[in-house]
Every structure is written in structure tokens, then in C-alpha cells.
Amino acid sequence: MAALTADSFAAEAARLAGGALLQPFAIAVSGGADSLALMALAAESFAGHAQVLSVDHGLRAESAAECAMVASLAAGLGLRHETLTPSLPPGGDMQARARAARYVAMADWCLRNGTALLMTAHHADDQAETLLMRLARGSGLGGLSGVRATGRIDGIMLLRPLLSWRRAELAAIVAARGWTPVDDPSNRDPRFDRTQARRLLAETPWLNPDRLAASAQHLAEAEAALAWAAERAFATRHQWHPPALLLDPEGLPAELRRRLLADGLRAFGHEADGPALARLLVRLEAGSSGTLGPVLASRTAGAWLLRPAPKRRRT
């Protein structure tokens, strides 16, 4: 990949987004070095189109001042800025809840303001950390594909044009402007998986983040190929016999059998998680039956029969 400049950034962003960058778009800026570099590059490359969004969860006393700092820097670049203050949903993992709340709040802002694209500052080091974390969790191919360069949330296009560049390159852009980025202590908190993955990368020279990021890209391409094959398998191997659905898994490799079953469940409006889907697949392969969500699945003459599960009687 070429060195990170405004021109190389603009070329990569345009490649990923197509014509979407000709319209106003939003960029997520927390005040850390990564997102400040994204803001500087976007201002230089797409002047007049970028709107800066910061999110203040109110979890740290410094967060309001940090958002104000981002607003000041954005104004110096001629960019509009807005701070969003979503509340956190209840639950356990605070980082996961905060991340989900940020995306929901920014996507909602984009929908309300007629903005079709949201850009974030994920980079190659983030990708390497994500791959290590998901390897440790035993993730499948979809999870090991890591952070995707493009995606969608509530109809808003997500764009991550910095995945080919390293954290140090982004920090150099910020340092060259004389900016002091936010130092979030949670980035050093050993309780979090990402912090441990980051430390492992820093202490293990043969774990090269560029190569790990390249592996994630290869896995993403393999995932896309499997998704293409699974779509065609479902198209030719399902028959509706209302209200039942018949699936023919005969001769398919194991992964395509799994995806065929997942697509069958989706046809009934149910998105199965990995472990639950695996348990149902084992039962079907053994010639047994099982219920998952609103679906009762059974095996008949080598095929899988999916139908609405009987409603439970109230006692």
C-alpha cells in the first residue's frame, strides 16, 4: 500500500464508497490520534463534505472537554461538529454496550440529517487485534474476517478507508499538525481483551500486524465466496410446502450444510446464533429433530423439514 497521504486516502475512500463521497458524510471522531488523523485527511481530501460527530457517554470526567477539543479542531479545519450524548443500554460488557450505543446514536443522527455515509478510523493494528481476539474465542470464518472495510447499520453505509495503514502512520499525521490527542486510560486497562491483544502484538515481533491484517482480508474474501455459494445452494435446494420448508443438504460440504440450515431459519424470520445452530445441525445429522426459535426442524428421507413450532400451552 502507498504511504498514507491525503491523495492515497482519498483514492481508497473513493474506491470503497463510489459516488457516495460526492454527498455530505459524517466522520466519527473521539479525539484519539486515529480519529483525529481521519478528520485531518477528510478535511483535506473532501473539503465541504465532512461533518464531525463525537460521542460523550459521560463515563469519564474529561469526556466533555475532549469533545469540546475536537469541536475546536474541527472548526479550525472548517468542519461542522456535533456532540451526541446517548445513554448506555443495560448489560454486562461496558465497552460493548458503549460501542453499540455510539453506532446507534451516529446512525440515528445520519438518518435524521439525510447523511448516507459514516466513516470511522479503524486501521491495520485494529484489524490485527480483532483477528487475535476472535481466534481466542474460537470464531468461525465470518468472525475471523475481522473489521470490514464497508458495512451497513440502519441503512447507513459504514466506511473504514484506513484499514491498510498502521496506527503509527496516523499518529504521525496528528503530530505533524501539533495536535495533542486524547489519552483514554481504558486503552491500557488489562481487563479488556483488546488491551491484552495489543500488548501481545507489541511484545511479539513475529506477530506482524500488517500480515495479520492481510490474513483477515484473505478470510473476508473466502467468506464472501462461501456466502455466494450458499446463496445459490439455497436457491436450488429449497421447496416451500406452506407452511413448511423442505431443504436438501445431500452432498453439500459441512459449511454449506450449516449455511443452508441458517438460511432456512431466516426464511421463518429467525437469526440463529452459532452455538444454537450447531446443536440443531447435530440433531438433524443424527436423524433427530429440534426446535429453534419459532421453527421445528426434523429429518425426513435425507432432507430437512422446517415448519412453525407448535405454540406452547399456558399452564
Side-chain angles (χ1 to χ4, degrees):
M1 197 72 177
L4 180 56
T5 64
D7 288 342
S8 60
F9 164 78
E12 178 66 1
R15 182 185 72 82
L16 295 173
L21 293 176
L22 299 178
Q23 304 298 323
F25 62 91
I27 54 175
V29 182
S30 65
D34 307 338
S35 60
L36 287 180
L38 174 64
M39 182 172 71
L41 291 165
E44 189 171 349
S45 303
F46 303 102
H49 292 291
Q51 158 80 46
V52 180
L53 301 179
S54 297
V55 177
D56 181 7
H57 295 295
L59 298 175
R60 294 185 296 111
E62 304 86 357
S63 58
E66 291 166 357
C67 290
M69 179 270 288
V70 173
S72 176
L73 294 178
L77 296 172
L79 302 179
R80 294 181 298 129
H81 175 275
E82 187 164 342
T83 297
L84 310 178
T85 56
S87 57
L88 288 187
D93 187 332
M94 186 182 70
Q95 279 200 329
R97 287 185 291 130
R99 182 170 55 252
R102 284 196 297 276
Y103 275 108
V104 169
M106 291 187 291
D108 181 65
W109 185 93
C110 289
L111 288 169
R112 288 186 285 105
N113 289 272
T115 301
L117 186 147
L118 173 64
M119 193 179 292
T120 70
H122 292 85
H123 47 72
D125 294 80
D126 288 328
Q127 187 72 288
E129 293 161 10
T130 299
L131 179 59
L132 289 178
M133 291 162 57
R134 293 181 180 175
L135 279 168
R137 295 170 188 166
S139 296
L141 185 57
L144 296 177
S145 300
V147 183
R148 309 301 174 86
T150 61
R152 288 199 171 272
I153 178 171
D154 294 334
I156 303 301
M157 183 180 187
L158 293 177
L159 198 71
R160 302 179 178 101
L162 294 173
L163 285 176
S164 296
W165 288 286
R166 299 288 304 277
R167 178 182 286 120
E169 295 176 272
L170 304 183
I173 288 174
V174 174
R177 288 179 171 269
W179 292 349
T180 301
V182 167
D183 179 26
D184 184 347
S186 68
N187 291 329
R188 297 185 299 277
D189 192 328
R191 293 175 299 170
F192 299 130
D193 291 348
R194 185 168 293 278
T195 303
Q196 296 182 39
R198 187 173 300 149
R199 180 177 178 179
L200 178 62
L201 285 168
E203 295 176 349
T204 314
W206 61 266
L207 284 176
N208 185 298
D210 285 321
R211 293 173 186 169
L212 290 173
S215 291
Q217 177 59 34
H218 298 326
L219 291 165
E221 291 169 1
E223 165 66 18
L226 269 175
W228 179 89
E231 181 181 352
R232 280 147 184 81
F234 182 77
T236 59
R237 289 173 175 262
H238 83 277
Q239 295 179 28
W240 278 106
H241 300 280
L245 175 65
L246 194 66
L247 300 175
D248 174 19
E250 189 66 27
L252 288 177
E255 177 62 12
L256 288 180
R257 292 166 77 89
R258 187 188 71 82
R259 291 178 186 239
L260 180 67
L261 180 57
D263 285 340
L265 293 168
R266 288 190 192 99
F268 287 86
H270 183 71
E271 188 70 40
D273 63 39
L277 183 65
R279 288 192 295 269
L280 179 59
L281 186 58
V282 167
R283 294 181 67 87
L284 290 174
E285 299 286 20
S288 184
S289 62
T291 300
L292 188 52
V295 181
L296 173 62
S298 58
R299 185 166 180 170
T300 175
W304 298 333
L305 183 66
L306 277 57
R307 58 189 186 275
K311 292 184 179 179
R312 295 182 179 177
R313 294 181 180 179
R314 294 184 179 179
T315 57

